[in-house]
Amino acid sequence: MSWDGWLAEQRETRERAGLQRALRARSVDEDVIDLASNDYLGLSTHSEARRASADAALAWGAGSGASRLVTGTTTAHGELEAELADFTGRRSALVMSSGYHANLSAVTALADRDALIVSDAHVHASLIDAARLSRATIEVVPHNEVDAVRAALDQAGRRRALVLTESVFSVLGDAAPLPELAEICAERDALLLVDEAHGLGVVGDGGRGLVAGLGEAPQVVMTATLSKSLGAMGGAVLGSEALIDHLVNRARPFIFDTALAPAPVAGALAALRLLRDRPELPHRIHRRASELADRLAVSRSAGAVLSVPMPSPQVALAAQAAALDAGVRVGCFRPPSVPDGVSRLRITTQAGIPDDGWEHAVEALTRVIEQHGGLP
């Protein structure tokens, strides 16, 4: 079969299953309440974050010009790393161009053919890809089952072991049992890598994430993104000074990637300072998420994400379109983006939406989901 024929066949297969995707551009002036983005706290459009980003672009230019180890590191990178570490209770931090790169860097620099990776079945695609690239032995354990993690680590023998999880999971919105996992890892000299992409800015004391609640916990490595609660872009790995030194010297996705540009670095730093000074923002997230979960008759979320199961991929797409017609944008997760194969609407609670807009969104979603079989 020719390449053109193979590509056409692949598309037809996706379309029959209701899994074909397409890019849809937003306009800057669209009149839609956005409950699909991950800008949980509304800080991407905050005047201070916008001004900081613009000033950094004017001062440094549109890009960073090189990798971090050449000339891509600016004073703003150092400030952001120091304040991220202080805010989350970690010793040190390393900023990268995306959260995806943060996970790739951490896992592939720590694990190799002589290591064992124990991975929760629901971790993000970036952690799955990182584990595969590391060439380590991979043991996938059932979601949030502590005993399964313990049993897998007991089979590690002399291999270095790395456990992968998220603090708040990106599809179901549930939290990992971090204290238990940290204890198991400490007892067995394993590292616990926690992706705080959906935890930072939303959960924990003042939005510091769940890892901060573990205290020093030297066996814990934290990764995060700057593109969700902090409303910018980029990612970070946080942990001990020795860990960060190792990544600077051994993490290929960090070493060979162009540095994150100064504008998003400055925007993320401004957003982090806003979060530090406005602890009421995470509280608003939880209040609204609980209210919406009760209205939609779904499980309450540990974070900002609400998951509404739908009867099929096609029905999920139809419900998403109906919500948009009602002026509310929501996400639509279908295989392979969902770990259990169940198509869902994915609704992200937003703290920055005015109260009247939020009320409209709640009413519209309740009506749409009821019409499309998503309510019992």
Side-chain angles (χ1 to χ4, degrees):
M1 180 182 292
S2 68
W3 279 109
D4 286 345
W6 181 81
L7 291 171
E9 183 182 78
Q10 292 295 305
R11 181 185 177 106
E12 289 172 7
T13 300
R14 292 192 301 269
E15 287 177 340
R16 284 196 301 271
L19 302 179
Q20 175 65 16
R21 292 161 169 82
L23 299 176
R24 293 177 176 82
R26 295 185 293 126
S27 62
V28 71
D29 58 350
E30 64 180 3
D31 185 20
V32 173
I33 298 172
D34 191 351
L35 300 186
S37 85
N38 294 317
D39 184 19
Y40 300 140
L41 305 181
L43 297 180
S44 70
T45 55
H46 192 283
S47 59
E48 292 182 28
R50 282 178 162 178
R51 174 49 56 190
S53 295
D55 288 346
L58 291 171
W60 291 97
S64 57
S67 69
R68 289 287 306 271
L69 284 169
V70 183
T71 61
T73 298
T74 68
T75 53
H77 288 81
E79 286 184 73
L80 177 57
E81 287 165 346
E83 295 195 28
L84 273 173
D86 179 70
F87 184 74
T88 58
R90 303 297 92 194
R91 290 283 187 177
S92 193
L94 188 64
V95 166
M96 304 185 185
S97 61
S98 71
Y100 209 110
H101 269 71
N103 281 335
L104 287 181
S105 293
V107 175
T108 58
L110 292 169
D112 55 24
R113 293 183 188 275
D114 298 323
L116 169 68
I117 291 177
V118 180
S119 177
D120 188 286
H122 285 198
V123 295
H124 189 263
S126 57
L127 287 173
I128 295 172
D129 291 349
R132 291 170 177 169
L133 288 171
S134 74
R135 301 179 182 176
T137 299
I138 303 170
E139 181 76 21
V140 179
V141 295
H143 179 51
N144 275 351
E145 289 197 12
V146 174
D147 289 342
V149 174
R150 181 185 294 108
L153 289 178
D154 286 342
Q155 301 302 313
R158 296 188 176 182
R159 292 175 294 181
R160 285 173 289 111
L162 178 64
V163 176
L164 307 182
T165 190
E166 301 180 29
S167 62
V168 177
F169 286 86
S170 60
V171 175
L172 299 184
D174 55 339
L178 292 190
E180 295 91 336
L181 291 175
E183 181 180 359
I184 290 170
C185 289
E187 291 171 349
R188 291 158 176 77
D189 196 27
L191 281 179
L192 174 63
L193 189 152
V194 182
D195 185 347
E196 284 268 32
H198 298 273
L200 181 65
V202 177
V203 297
D205 181 25
R208 285 170 169 78
L210 297 183
V211 170
L214 300 176
E216 286 289 326
Q219 82 281 4
V220 177
V221 177
M222 172 182 161
T223 62
T225 179
L226 312 177
S227 63
K228 294 181 172 59
S229 290
L230 298 185
M233 65 177 296
V237 182
L238 301 99
S240 67
E241 291 93 339
L243 168 74
I244 300 306
D245 175 71
H246 180 73
L247 296 182
V248 168
N249 286 276
R250 294 298 300 274
R252 291 171 63 86
F254 170 79
I255 294 169
F256 296 104
D257 188 35
T258 298
L260 184 63
V265 170
L269 180 57
L272 180 63
R273 291 169 176 170
L274 286 164
L275 170 60
R276 183 187 61 204
D277 296 338
R278 297 189 60 189
E280 76 276 6
L281 291 176
H283 290 299
R284 188 181 302 166
I285 285 285
H286 291 287
R287 185 176 68 252
R288 286 183 167 181
S290 296
E291 172 196 359
L292 185 56
D294 291 345
R295 287 289 297 273
L296 300 183
V298 297
S299 299
R300 290 190 175 189
S301 172
V305 176
L306 287 179
S307 179
V308 183
M310 301 302 290
S312 69
Q314 293 85 352
V315 174
L317 285 171
Q320 182 190 39
L324 188 59
D325 287 342
V328 183
R329 177 182 288 110
V330 297
C332 179
F333 276 24
R334 296 164 287 157
S337 299
V338 285
D340 56 5
V342 177
S343 293
R344 338 174 121 73
L345 295 184
R346 181 177 180 272
I347 304 168
T348 56
T349 312
Q350 308 283 338
I353 297 172
D355 287 341
D356 57 348
W358 176 252
E359 288 299 326
H360 169 76
V362 170
E363 293 295 333
L365 289 176
T366 302
R367 183 171 60 255
V368 165
I369 292 172
E370 184 175 29
Q371 291 170 351
H372 288 80
L375 288 178

